[in-house]
């Protein structure tokens, strides 16, 4: 259900493809920022559009939501 995991995975794959390997935190930060900017808007849109389906599946599996 946690869509951020898909985004972290995409960022991790993008950073790991870089050459030479990232040796400092500054290089890692820059690589993550560059990779974030290059994420496909279609990927983000797909994740957003999948949320109702994921919530419905979660409710079906775990029951009804709780109230405050």
């Amino acid at each position: 259900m946690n869509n951020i995991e898909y985004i972290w995975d995409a960022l991790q794959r993008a950073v790991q493809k870089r050459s030479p390997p990232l040796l400092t935190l500054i290089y890692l930060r820059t690589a993550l920022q560059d990779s974030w900017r290059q994420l496909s808007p279609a990927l983000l849109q797909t994740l957003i559009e999948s949320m109702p389906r994921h919530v419905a599946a979660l409710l079906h599996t775990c029951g009804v939501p709780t109230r405050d």
Side-chain angles (χ1 to χ4, degrees):
M1 166 100 182
N2 192 352
N3 281 340
I4 195 70
E5 292 176 12
Y6 293 105
I7 295 170
W8 275 119
D9 183 57
L11 289 173
Q12 181 180 12
R13 282 185 275 120
V15 168
Q16 287 176 339
K17 288 180 184 177
R18 288 184 168 250
S19 182
L22 306 170
L23 300 177
T24 68
L25 289 177
I26 293 172
Y27 289 131
L28 176 59
R29 178 182 174 191
T30 301
L32 283 170
Q33 288 173 333
D34 292 345
S35 298
W36 175 260
R37 286 187 207 99
Q38 293 173 7
L39 277 180
S40 164
L43 168 70
L44 301 176
Q45 187 63 35
T46 299
L47 292 174
I48 290 167
E49 291 172 356
S50 71
M51 287 304 297
R53 187 179 72 246
H54 287 145
V55 170
L58 180 67
L59 291 176
H60 177 74
T61 302
C62 298
V64 296
T66 58
R67 295 186 182 180
D68 294 330

